[in-house]
Amino acid sequence: MSISEIDLVRVPGLAPSGPQSPQSPQSPVSPVSPESPRSPESPRSEASAEPLTMRALREGGLRLKDRIIRGRPEAVERQHRLGKRTARERLESLLDENSFVEIEMYRRGTAPGRPYTDGVVAGSGTVYGRRVFVYAQDFTIAGGSLGAAHAAKIHKVMDLALATGCPIVALNDSGGARIQEGAMALDGYGGIFRRQVEASGVIPQISIVLGPCAGGAAYSPALADFTFMVRGTAQMYLTGPDVVESVTGERVTHAELGGADVHAERSGVASFVYDDEEGCLEDVRFLLSLLPGNNLEPAPVVPVAEEDDLRPALAEIVPVEASRPYDMREVIAEIVDDGEYLEVHERWAPNVLCGFGRLHGEVVGVVGNQPMVLAGVLDSTASQKAARFVRFCDSFGIPLVTLVDVPGFLPGTEQEHGGGIRHGAKLLYAYCEATVPRVQVIIRKAYGGAYIVMDSRSIGCDLSLAWPTNQVAVMGADAAVNVVHRRELAAAADPDGLRAELVARYTEELMHPYYAAERGLVDEVIDPGHTRAAVARGLAMLRGKRARAVARRHGNVPL
């Protein structure tokens, strides 16, 4: 068979070379969009059966590729009118320039007329020169809905990320499962979820919600390590407003049900929230610059200019009086390298702070009580937030620095009946299980069970430092005196005077700055201004820490 007899011209966009014009009736090619390609089974006309050239093949392939990349102009324009970028525009912002390598661009479903890419752009690129794998759902094609071919592309890119030990970033903008494909669409989602669980703790997983993400699809961001959302366009829920109204009678908007602010403040699903896609994608890049590629690599270290570790401002930030609040963020800013801090879940459970920073160029995870909110007490949501963060840091070998100023657990029937004990146990479990270097800094109050949970020496902290303002005790002096000396106070002629005397004595004997250090619960009482230097020395000392693994399948976290 000669080459002229081989039916190669059936590929859409492929035109033979020759003098005829594109409008010639003998031409086998007419302009087609990626949405409605010529059927591969269409027969060749006898008039077009002439020899092909490599040039014609290449030019036809380039035209087809260009049409796929450009997309349908009206669909792209509609996406822009909604205030959203296209999938490819988003990847251009996320990845280093000219670093994206796309896979399976020509993949499409089996039904006639199905578009190329099948509504998802997948591949790999770099962020600050480091390899990541990505997929971006394309809302301009079938609303980004997920079918079998769409899911297969996502499965492949996830498998490649796990095989190569690189982070995976998902850009979600989809109408959900493709109803026309029925159970195969659901099977595709199941394959994504299973791969996410397999990759958990092995490679970082980041989910970015830039449009609708409804139904079963919402579990993918929930399984990711970090979820980013953009106000106004991102929506995430299991059942939409129409279903909610039909079942419960409750009327609610998309934003009220599953908007970015709802998930940032109430559900805790959104780790980060932004006003626009540009700021969102820039912080995704920043987060990736702080994380290792996988659980066997160290987090990236950056060279830093010589900095003075003496920070006298720390002594001015924190009041000596235990009841006066201050902003723990100001303390963190003085400890970490300048500008190298990214807070996680800033608006959810704000009574505890969690974030990544750098200290002498090395990445650390920081957990700290926030006296500005609920006096820094631990409650159910704060415990869950901190536990998840601690477990992530431990999974990827990121040292932990815990800043303690906690008066206890939040009291009340709502907390007790809502599982406060169980949720607090999650944080306790996370710290006990952690094998990374762990440095505790007791700044002021460290009372009761909350002190134990905040990475105390008793649950495995490697190095405990304390400021001269530290108070390690079962409870505050006032409360302790009221319990221990209640009979004496009840019988006293001057109960207020006696109480003041007993409080002073209790504080002097059991809560002085060196009480915990004298009993081996604190390694060193440090000057506040030397905190940065002391933490850096401690982490340097612990850099070679190795933990012995216990032979078991896995522990049973109190979920």
Side-chain angles (χ1 to χ4, degrees):
M1 181 182 292
S2 68
I3 192 169
S4 64
E5 297 173 304
I6 302 175
D7 190 8
L8 294 178
V9 191
R10 293 180 301 175
V11 178
L14 205 65
S17 62
Q20 71 267 27
S21 70
Q23 290 76 30
S24 169
Q26 284 78 27
S27 173
V29 176
S30 61
V32 292
S33 77
E35 295 290 339
S36 54
R38 175 191 290 269
S39 170
E41 287 71 38
S42 59
R44 289 181 66 199
S45 67
E46 292 298 326
S48 65
E50 57 184 72
L52 295 175
T53 65
M54 180 60 73
R55 178 180 176 182
L57 290 168
R58 293 171 64 191
E59 289 178 351
L62 289 174
R63 285 194 295 273
L64 173 60
K65 184 175 183 179
D66 181 64
R67 280 199 297 272
I68 295 172
I69 291 174
R70 283 189 289 109
R72 290 184 299 123
E74 64 274 18
V76 172
E77 177 60 28
R78 185 166 59 249
Q79 183 83 341
H80 289 164
R81 285 200 305 270
L82 293 171
K84 297 157 62 177
R85 300 181 181 185
T86 66
R88 296 183 185 278
E89 288 170 344
R90 289 161 173 168
L91 290 176
E92 286 178 6
S93 296
L94 174 65
L95 302 172
D96 296 339
E97 188 175 1
N98 297 325
S99 70
F100 181 54
V101 178
E102 187 169 354
I103 62 172
E104 298 196 1
M105 175 188 287
Y106 306 104
R107 185 75 176 256
R108 55 182 177 174
T110 56
R114 282 288 168 83
Y116 289 103
T117 75
D118 205 52
V120 63
V121 181
S124 176
T126 61
V127 173
Y128 296 117
R130 299 170 64 231
R131 178 67 52 192
V132 299
F133 283 81
V134 295
Y135 68 86
Q137 292 178 313
D138 188 350
F139 198 79
T140 68
I141 296 179
S145 59
L146 185 139
H150 183 121
K153 290 178 66 174
I154 296 176
H155 296 169
K156 179 171 182 177
V157 80
M158 294 179 75
D159 290 341
L160 289 173
L162 190 58
T164 58
C166 297
I168 180 79
V169 181
L171 288 81
N172 300 273
D173 188 1
S174 169
R178 193 171 297 162
I179 299 173
Q180 300 91 322
E181 298 196 27
M184 293 307 296
L186 302 179
D187 181 72
Y189 276 125
I192 293 172
F193 303 154
R194 176 171 59 83
R195 286 169 172 82
Q196 284 188 268
V197 173
E198 289 175 353
S200 181
V202 182
I203 57 174
Q205 301 180 66
I206 296 174
S207 185
I208 312 170
V209 184
L210 301 166
C213 183
Y219 284 116
S220 185
L223 286 170
D225 295 312
F226 303 100
T227 298
F228 291 72
M229 295 185 73
V230 174
R231 290 186 185 90
T233 56
Q235 303 159 8
M236 184 165 45
Y237 37 67
L238 295 175
T239 54
D242 293 341
V243 177
V244 170
E245 183 177 0
S246 66
V247 174
T248 69
E250 180 184 6
R251 291 189 176 183
V252 63
T253 66
H254 290 278
E256 292 169 341
L257 182 62
D261 290 321
V262 169
H263 289 300
E265 297 175 5
R266 302 184 66 179
S267 75
V269 177
S271 314
F272 305 93
V273 170
Y274 298 87
D275 291 325
D276 55 68
E277 292 189 11
E278 183 180 4
C280 174
L281 296 175
E282 185 57 40
D283 263 10
V284 173
R285 288 174 57 85
F286 181 38
L287 175 59
L288 285 167
S289 75
L290 295 168
L291 303 180
N294 57 67
N295 64 325
L296 300 180
E297 291 181 2
V301 179
V302 300
V304 293
E306 196 71 28
E307 290 190 59
D308 186 359
D309 282 343
L310 182 61
R311 301 296 171 92
L314 284 170
E316 306 299 324
I317 293 172
V318 180
V320 173
E321 299 87 345
S323 60
R324 287 181 56 193
Y326 62 92
D327 192 345
M328 185 64 82
R329 291 189 181 92
E330 295 182 21
V331 175
I332 295 172
E334 291 292 330
I335 295 175
V336 301
D337 296 345
D338 185 36
E340 293 290 321
Y341 180 68
L342 181 64
E343 187 172 340
V344 180
H345 286 298
E346 180 178 349
R347 296 166 59 192
W348 183 54
N351 43 320
V352 68
L353 306 179
C354 300
F356 297 104
R358 290 189 186 274
L359 185 56
H360 291 186
E362 298 189 9
V363 178
V364 296
V366 182
V367 179
N369 306 111
Q370 174 57 297
M372 295 288 289
V373 181
L374 298 175
V377 298
L378 288 177
D379 60 4
S380 295
T381 52
S383 298
Q384 294 176 73
K385 170 181 171 177
R388 182 163 176 79
F389 182 77
V390 168
R391 286 176 64 83
F392 177 86
C393 290
D394 188 53
S395 294
F396 291 96
I398 298 173
L400 285 160
V401 178
T402 304
L403 307 176
V404 182
D405 192 346
V406 61
F409 286 97
L410 183 64
T413 55
E414 182 179 349
Q415 285 292 307
E416 297 294 349
H417 297 173
I421 296 172
R422 177 168 49 86
H423 295 306
K426 295 176 183 178
L427 181 54
L428 180 62
Y429 191 105
Y431 269 123
C432 288
E433 188 181 45
T435 60
V436 293
R438 292 152 54 185
V439 176
Q440 179 198 50
V441 183
I442 304 173
I443 293 177
R444 275 194 328 194
K445 303 178 295 296
Y447 295 163
Y451 154 69
I452 299 173
V453 169
M454 288 296 291
D455 203 18
S456 64
R457 168 61 54 79
S458 59
I459 64 171
C461 166
D462 297 302
L463 181 67
S464 179
L465 308 172
W467 286 15
T469 47
N470 82 85
Q471 296 179 352
V472 182
V474 174
M475 60 184 69
D478 288 335
V481 166
N482 287 337
V483 172
V484 175
H485 300 284
R486 61 181 180 278
R487 292 181 180 175
E488 296 173 55
L489 292 170
D494 181 11
D496 292 337
L498 178 60
R499 181 181 291 103
E501 179 184 339
L502 293 173
V503 166
R505 185 191 308 168
Y506 183 92
T507 301
E508 182 180 355
E509 295 178 356
L510 300 176
M511 296 178 65
H512 62 80
Y514 297 92
Y515 180 83
E518 290 171 357
R519 285 150 184 81
L521 302 179
V522 167
D523 292 284
E524 185 180 359
V525 178
I526 61 173
D527 184 294
H530 295 160
T531 303
R532 174 178 160 87
V535 172
R537 284 197 306 268
L539 292 175
M541 176 181 71
L542 297 167
R543 192 169 292 133
K545 179 183 177 183
R546 296 291 181 271
R548 184 181 303 172
V550 179
R552 60 179 177 180
R553 290 179 182 270
H554 55 75
N556 188 15
V557 183
L559 299 174

